[in-house]
Short mmCIF file of all heavy atoms in Angstrom, two decimals:
data_model
loop_
_atom_site.label_atom_id
_atom_site.label_comp_id
_atom_site.label_asym_id
_atom_site.label_seq_id
_atom_site.Cartn_x
_atom_site.Cartn_y
_atom_site.Cartn_z
N VAL A 170 22.51 -2.65 13.83
CA VAL A 170 22.48 -1.99 12.53
C VAL A 170 23.79 -1.26 12.27
O VAL A 170 24.40 -1.35 11.19
CB VAL A 170 21.28 -1.01 12.43
CG1 VAL A 170 21.42 -0.10 11.21
CG2 VAL A 170 19.96 -1.77 12.39
N GLU A 171 24.26 -0.54 13.29
CA GLU A 171 25.52 0.20 13.16
C GLU A 171 26.69 -0.75 12.97
O GLU A 171 27.66 -0.46 12.24
CB GLU A 171 25.70 1.11 14.36
CG GLU A 171 24.70 2.24 14.40
CD GLU A 171 24.78 3.06 15.67
OE1 GLU A 171 25.41 2.60 16.65
OE2 GLU A 171 24.22 4.19 15.69
N MET A 172 26.65 -1.91 13.64
CA MET A 172 27.69 -2.91 13.47
C MET A 172 27.76 -3.40 12.03
O MET A 172 28.84 -3.48 11.42
CB MET A 172 27.41 -4.10 14.42
CG MET A 172 28.52 -5.17 14.40
SD MET A 172 27.99 -6.64 15.32
CE MET A 172 27.49 -5.90 16.89
N VAL A 173 26.59 -3.70 11.46
CA VAL A 173 26.53 -4.17 10.07
C VAL A 173 26.96 -3.05 9.12
O VAL A 173 27.71 -3.27 8.17
CB VAL A 173 25.12 -4.68 9.73
CG1 VAL A 173 25.01 -5.00 8.23
CG2 VAL A 173 24.80 -5.93 10.55
N ASP A 174 26.50 -1.83 9.40
CA ASP A 174 26.90 -0.68 8.57
C ASP A 174 28.42 -0.59 8.44
O ASP A 174 28.96 -0.31 7.36
CB ASP A 174 26.38 0.63 9.19
CG ASP A 174 24.91 0.86 8.96
OD1 ASP A 174 24.32 0.20 8.08
OD2 ASP A 174 24.32 1.71 9.66
N SER A 175 29.12 -0.79 9.55
CA SER A 175 30.56 -0.61 9.57
C SER A 175 31.29 -1.70 8.78
O SER A 175 32.46 -1.52 8.40
CB SER A 175 31.08 -0.62 11.02
OG SER A 175 30.93 -1.91 11.61
N GLN A 176 30.60 -2.82 8.50
CA GLN A 176 31.23 -3.94 7.83
C GLN A 176 30.87 -4.04 6.35
O GLN A 176 31.39 -4.90 5.64
CB GLN A 176 30.85 -5.25 8.53
CG GLN A 176 31.30 -5.32 9.98
CD GLN A 176 30.69 -6.49 10.72
OE1 GLN A 176 29.77 -7.16 10.22
NE2 GLN A 176 31.16 -6.75 11.95
N GLN A 177 29.95 -3.19 5.89
CA GLN A 177 29.45 -3.29 4.53
C GLN A 177 29.93 -2.12 3.67
O GLN A 177 30.24 -1.04 4.19
CB GLN A 177 27.92 -3.32 4.52
CG GLN A 177 27.31 -4.49 5.27
CD GLN A 177 27.52 -5.81 4.57
OE1 GLN A 177 27.40 -5.89 3.34
NE2 GLN A 177 27.81 -6.86 5.32
N GLU A 178 29.94 -2.34 2.37
CA GLU A 178 30.31 -1.25 1.45
C GLU A 178 29.32 -0.11 1.52
O GLU A 178 29.69 1.06 1.43
CB GLU A 178 30.40 -1.80 0.02
CG GLU A 178 30.81 -0.76 -1.01
CD GLU A 178 30.89 -1.31 -2.42
OE1 GLU A 178 30.57 -2.52 -2.60
OE2 GLU A 178 31.25 -0.54 -3.34
N TYR A 179 28.02 -0.45 1.65
CA TYR A 179 26.96 0.55 1.79
C TYR A 179 26.23 0.31 3.08
O TYR A 179 26.04 -0.84 3.52
CB TYR A 179 25.96 0.45 0.63
CG TYR A 179 26.59 0.57 -0.74
CD1 TYR A 179 26.73 -0.56 -1.56
CD2 TYR A 179 27.02 1.79 -1.23
CE1 TYR A 179 27.29 -0.45 -2.82
CE2 TYR A 179 27.60 1.91 -2.49
CZ TYR A 179 27.72 0.78 -3.28
OH TYR A 179 28.27 0.86 -4.53
N ARG A 180 25.77 1.39 3.70
CA ARG A 180 24.95 1.24 4.90
C ARG A 180 23.61 0.57 4.57
O ARG A 180 23.13 0.64 3.43
CB ARG A 180 24.65 2.61 5.52
CG ARG A 180 25.86 3.32 6.11
CD ARG A 180 25.41 4.40 7.09
NE ARG A 180 24.38 5.28 6.58
CZ ARG A 180 23.56 6.00 7.34
NH1 ARG A 180 23.60 5.89 8.64
NH2 ARG A 180 22.66 6.79 6.77
N LEU A 181 23.01 -0.04 5.56
CA LEU A 181 21.67 -0.58 5.41
C LEU A 181 20.74 0.56 4.97
O LEU A 181 20.83 1.69 5.47
CB LEU A 181 21.17 -1.19 6.71
CG LEU A 181 21.81 -2.54 7.10
CD1 LEU A 181 21.77 -2.72 8.60
CD2 LEU A 181 21.10 -3.67 6.40
#
Side-chain angles (χ1 to χ4, degrees):
V170 168
E171 292 174 344
M172 184 189 308
V173 173
D174 283 344
S175 68
Q176 299 169 350
Q177 299 289 320
E178 181 180 2
Y179 304 106
R180 292 200 310 158
L181 287 153

